[in-house]
Structures are given as structure tokens and as C-alpha cells.
Amino acid sequence: MGLSASSPSVALQADISEQPQAAASQCPMHQKKMEGCPMHMKSAGSLDENQNVSSPVHQERAYEYVECPVKSQMHEKLDPRNMMPPPNQVPSPGQPFPLSTTREESTIPRAFSQQKWVYPSEQMFWNAMLRKGWKWKDDDIKPEDMSNIIKIHNQNNEQAWQEILKWEALHARECPCGPSLVRFGGKAKEYSPRARIRSWMGYELPFDRHDWIIERCGKEVRYVIDYYDGGEVDKNYQFTILDVRPAFDSLTAVWDRMKVAWWRWTS
């Protein structure tokens, strides 16, 4: 499968080189005096209303710390934008060692915001695993293991975003500002048609699947990401082989997939 089953970069090199050199300068995001891309901003009258809708709960105060621990324990509803509960930085009962509450900023832009998505802390990840039924006493886990898990998790997401950017380069002319991430969710048990067909051909099934919804200058586009085991973790905390592609939700996505498939076949 190579390093990534999704990358259309070989075919895109010629296509991108034909685009005007001024494409980057057209985007307000590349102009120092501009605060952001107008394509990603709402009018002043509707900003407050829309920002609450598009910003996941666990991102709202990520740059401050977290919301009040007592308050976060009072409502455990999952946020539909990322299928995560409110942030919980409180150590769990019987936790064998303290965990970091530091959160790392990603390189992934948040839709309708001037900020980027922020990854969960070690403590938040621990609490999330417990909520899903994980029993830490069944594993010989150490503090450094949680640190490595967070690094692998973050690297997987960064790698996925880079693959999405390669596909989005097909639309650099129509959206010079570039895409931003609206919401996402895990669907580990809902195998994609492509993954099932591959399994019928004798290949392994992915160990996880995510659907990411990105915003392309006013248009929402869904990407399907299948995660395959790539063997040992390397020095950059990568071990996952990603299969990233736009979902067959529109004729544009179908055309993109057909073009890239043809470029791969003829390259």
C-alpha cells in the first residue's frame, strides 16, 4: 500500500504547477495585516450564534485550561461535533499515578474561528478510555506509556490532515484560503465499503475509522479515513497507514476520486 493509500500528490504536482503564482497572495490568510480569511468568517450579527454551533465543547476553553471540574461532571452528554464528552481533567478514583493536563495545539484550523484544534491531555485521554470500558488494572501501564499514546494519537491526526490537504489542493483555485475542520467522529465498527471490499480480497480490515467534515470556502465536504496497522512505531511516533479520501457524497467528490485514480494508473 505504500506510506499512504490516499495520497494524490504525484498527480497533483503537475496540476498545481500550472496554477498562477499569485494564488497564495490572493488568500488573506497569507497577508500579514489580515486577521483571517473572510471566507471562514461570519457576519457580526450571526457570529455569536454560529460559533456556538460550530465549536465543540472540549475546544471552547482549551486555550485557558478546562471548564470547572465540578461543572464538567454534571453533564456527560457527547458533543456531536467530535463525539467527545466535556473536558475532564480530574484524576479518576484509584488512578495509580498523576498525568499531565497540558494540551497541545494542532496545525488543524477550526472552522469559523481564528484558532486551531487542541488535542486532549494525558488526563483527558485516560478518563475517556475509562469511560469506554478500559480497565487499567488489566494492563501493566506506566506514565511514559500515556505520554507515548498521546504522541501517537496527535501524530495520526496531523498525518490525516496532511492527506486531506493533498486532496484539497485540487480545489486551490476555487478556495485559495484552504480548508478548515468543522467536526469529526469515530466509526470504528462501521467499516467503509472500500475497507470491506479490500477484506474480501484478503487484506486486513482497518482497526479504526474516522469521518472528518471540512469546510471548503462555504461548502462542507466529508472525508473518510481508514486506519491500518503499519507495524512498529517509528521515531516520529508513526505506525499507522492511512487511507484518506473524499466520501462519495457529491459529483465533485466522485470526479476527484476518478481523476486521482486515473493519474495513479497512468503515472
Side-chain angles (χ1 to χ4, degrees):
M1 293 177 60
L3 292 179
S4 172
S6 64
S7 172
S9 57
V10 175
L12 287 178
Q13 290 176 357
D15 185 66
I16 294 175
S17 64
E18 296 175 359
Q19 296 178 10
Q21 293 290 331
S25 62
Q26 293 174 1
C27 177
M29 292 183 70
H30 298 285
Q31 298 178 13
K32 295 182 179 179
K33 294 183 180 181
M34 295 295 287
E35 298 258 331
C37 175
M39 304 291 289
H40 294 159
M41 298 174 66
K42 300 295 183 182
S43 63
S46 61
L47 180 60
D48 291 340
E49 178 184 355
N50 288 335
Q51 198 163 18
N52 289 334
V53 173
S54 62
S55 300
V57 175
H58 88 288
Q59 296 291 319
E60 288 297 339
R61 300 187 59 189
Y63 287 88
E64 300 175 16
Y65 180 62
V66 289
E67 63 178 317
C68 171
V70 176
K71 180 181 178 182
S72 69
Q73 291 176 344
M74 292 174 63
H75 39 80
E76 292 293 326
K77 292 183 178 180
L78 295 180
D79 191 294
R81 289 167 291 276
N82 62 349
M83 298 309 293
M84 291 285 288
N88 180 6
Q89 298 272 37
V90 180
S92 63
Q95 185 172 309
F97 41 74
L99 292 169
S100 172
T101 57
T102 301
R103 303 182 64 181
E104 179 183 344
E105 183 185 56
S106 75
T107 64
I108 306 172
R110 281 172 53 190
F112 317 120
S113 171
Q114 297 302 309
Q115 296 176 330
K116 293 181 172 62
W117 286 80
V118 181
Y119 293 124
S121 66
E122 294 177 15
Q123 186 64 65
M124 290 173 64
F125 206 94
W126 176 282
N127 292 337
M129 290 195 300
L130 291 179
R131 189 177 290 105
K132 293 179 180 180
W134 174 67
K135 306 295 182 183
W136 63 266
K137 294 182 180 180
D138 296 338
D139 297 315
D140 184 20
I141 191 167
K142 304 177 180 64
E144 54 267 27
D145 293 332
M146 286 304 301
S147 177
N148 290 334
I149 289 173
I150 286 293
K151 291 175 181 177
I152 292 172
H153 167 272
N154 296 357
Q155 183 58 44
N156 276 343
N157 283 283
E158 293 295 327
Q159 188 179 351
W161 183 247
Q162 291 304 311
E163 294 299 320
I164 288 175
L165 291 181
K166 292 175 184 178
W167 284 96
E168 286 300 301
L170 294 169
H171 302 277
R173 290 176 182 267
E174 66 187 81
C175 187
C177 295
S180 55
L181 181 59
V182 179
R183 60 187 181 276
F184 58 90
K187 297 183 176 181
K189 301 303 181 182
E190 297 181 29
Y191 297 117
S192 65
R194 177 165 167 151
R196 290 192 179 278
I197 292 173
R198 284 176 50 83
S199 70
W200 296 339
M201 298 171 62
Y203 294 97
E204 65 177 340
L205 285 167
F207 66 82
D208 198 6
R209 169 194 167 180
H210 280 186
D211 281 16
W212 288 22
I213 312 300
I214 63 107
E215 195 263 350
R216 181 192 295 157
C217 292
K219 178 181 179 181
E220 287 195 355
V221 180
R222 180 169 67 98
Y223 278 85
V224 178
I225 307 173
D226 286 328
Y227 296 79
Y228 294 90
D229 189 347
E232 295 294 327
V233 180
D234 65 19
K235 62 180 181 180
N236 296 319
Y237 297 95
Q238 291 184 344
F239 81 98
T240 309
I241 297 174
L242 303 183
D243 186 2
V244 183
R245 67 277 185 193
F248 284 136
D249 293 340
S250 67
L251 291 177
T252 300
V254 173
W255 180 239
D256 285 351
R257 298 269 294 265
M258 290 174 62
K259 282 194 297 185
V260 171
W262 173 253
W263 289 339
R264 287 175 182 161
W265 183 261
T266 57
S267 63

